[in-house]
């Protein structure tokens, strides 16, 4: 049973560029949440997608945007990259039913390590 | 809105016990605990629900005080494999994580 798949695993971009990160949720999951994890810090919530719509959003600027496709996979786009955007970006999947999350938690991917130079 | 974890780091010998605390300023639906090893994805350990129901791990237990909006993770008779960073996640409308507690278990 494949878990959460993220691509690419590593990425180096130049300040000002744009980047797209991809996530395929665990089979049977329909909700995708994105997190930014700086070195030595906890994951910071970016946003969550359910039924192809952004359901919740954390305290991130509009440079961070996303999309969810009909097959539940998701993309995270970051425009006008800043040095401070360098981090591990984690995707977590779950089933939309809140009862599910409260019983089984989130399944995380291994992340995409983004370095902005 | 993020939960606050303590301590920031713990160093143990095999067989010793540890407690990791997590507190929130908001009323919660649930508290989750995850462990992340270096370079790996966070792995779900345990969830505590309002009403005291607990689901999780064999040798790791936890408590959830709803009134105080606090949770504690208890690791007993620690093993080398327990090493990693432990995060609590508090669920309200979405999941927010604490800064983590780095646990190192030495032989």
């Amino acid at each position: 049973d494949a878990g959460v798949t993220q691509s690419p695993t590593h990425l180096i971009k130049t300040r000002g560029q744009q980047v797209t990160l991809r996530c395929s949720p665990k089979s049977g999951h329909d909700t995708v949440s994105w997190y930014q994890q700086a070195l030595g810090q906890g994951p910071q919530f970016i946003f969550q997608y359910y039924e192809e719509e952004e359901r919740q959003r954390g305290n991130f600027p509009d440079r961070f945007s996303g999309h969810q496709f009909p097959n539940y996979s998701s993309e995270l786009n970051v425009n006008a990259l800043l040095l401070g955007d360098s981090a591990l970006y984690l995707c977590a999947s779950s089933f939309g039913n809140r009862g599910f999350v409260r019983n089984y938690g989130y399944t995380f991917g291994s992340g995409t390590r983004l370095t902005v130079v | 809105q993020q939960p606050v974890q303590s301590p920031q780091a713990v160093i143990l010998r095999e067989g010793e016990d540890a407690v990791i605390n997590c507190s929130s300023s908001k009323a919660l639906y649930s508290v989750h605990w995850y462990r992340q090893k270096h370079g790996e994805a966070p792995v779900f350990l345990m969830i505590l629900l309002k009403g005291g129901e607990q689901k999780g791990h064999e040798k790791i237990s936890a408590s959830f005080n709803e009134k105080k909006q606090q949770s504690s993770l208890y690791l007993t008779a620690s093993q080398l494999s327990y090493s990693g960073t432990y995060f609590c996640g508090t669920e309200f409308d979405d999941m927010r994580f604490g800064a983590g507690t780095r646990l190192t278990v030495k032989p």
Side-chain angles (χ1 to χ4, degrees), chain A residues 35 37 40-45 48 56-59 88 90 98 100-111, chain B residues 2 29-30 32 34 36 39-44 47 49 53 55 87 91-100 102:
Chain A
Y35 290 85
Q37 187 177 26
Q41 300 297 314
Q44 301 288 311
F45 176 69
Q48 183 182 77
Q56 297 286 344
R57 188 178 183 94
N59 190 25
L88 179 68
L90 293 167
R98 284 209 183 275
F100 181 93
V101 174
R102 290 167 194 169
N103 282 276
Y104 301 105
Y106 283 11
T107 301
F108 280 88
S110 296
Chain B
Q2 281 178 268
Y29 291 126
S30 66
H32 296 212
Y34 293 78
Q36 185 177 30
E40 298 180 10
V43 174
F44 173 72
I47 186 169
L49 307 171
E53 188 178 1
K55 299 176 184 291
F87 295 101
E91 187 204 356
F92 189 63
D93 291 321
D94 49 59
M95 186 75 68
R96 304 290 173 119
F97 290 91
R102 177 169 289 185

Side-chain angles (χ1 to χ4, degrees), chain B residues 68-94:
Chain B
K68 292 186 177 180
Q69 292 147 204
Q70 293 175 344
S71 178
S72 294
L73 185 72
Y74 306 97
L75 299 103
T76 56
S78 59
Q79 306 169 10
L80 295 175
S81 62
Y82 286 9
S83 291
T85 301
Y86 290 77
F87 295 101
C88 70
T90 52
E91 187 204 356
F92 189 63
D93 291 321
D94 49 59

Side-chain angles (χ1 to χ4, degrees), chain A residues 8-84:
Chain A
T9 54
H10 295 83
L11 201 54
I12 299 175
K13 288 287 190 178
T14 303
R15 190 171 47 182
Q17 284 188 315
Q18 179 263 344
V19 68
T20 297
L21 311 182
R22 295 176 175 82
C23 172
S24 292
K26 181 176 179 178
S27 177
H29 288 186
D30 60 4
T31 302
V32 173
S33 303
W34 286 93
Y35 290 85
Q36 180 194 67
Q37 187 177 26
L39 203 60
Q41 300 297 314
Q44 301 288 311
F45 176 69
I46 303 175
F47 41 55
Q48 183 182 77
Y49 276 85
Y50 173 68
E51 292 188 339
E52 301 181 51
E53 290 192 358
E54 185 181 288
R55 182 158 72 173
Q56 297 286 344
R57 188 178 183 94
N59 190 25
F60 277 78
D62 292 344
R63 297 188 298 109
F64 289 77
S65 64
H67 188 78
Q68 186 179 33
F69 298 93
N71 66 353
Y72 309 121
S73 66
S74 176
E75 288 182 348
L76 164 64
N77 301 294
V78 187
N79 295 323
L81 284 167
L82 303 174
L83 297 180

Side-chain angles (χ1 to χ4, degrees), chain B residues 12-29:
Chain B
L12 300 173
R13 294 283 179 190
E14 266 188 297
E16 292 182 338
D17 302 339
V19 180
I20 300 171
N21 300 303
C22 173
S23 64
S24 172
S25 59
K26 295 178 69 170
L28 305 170
Y29 291 126

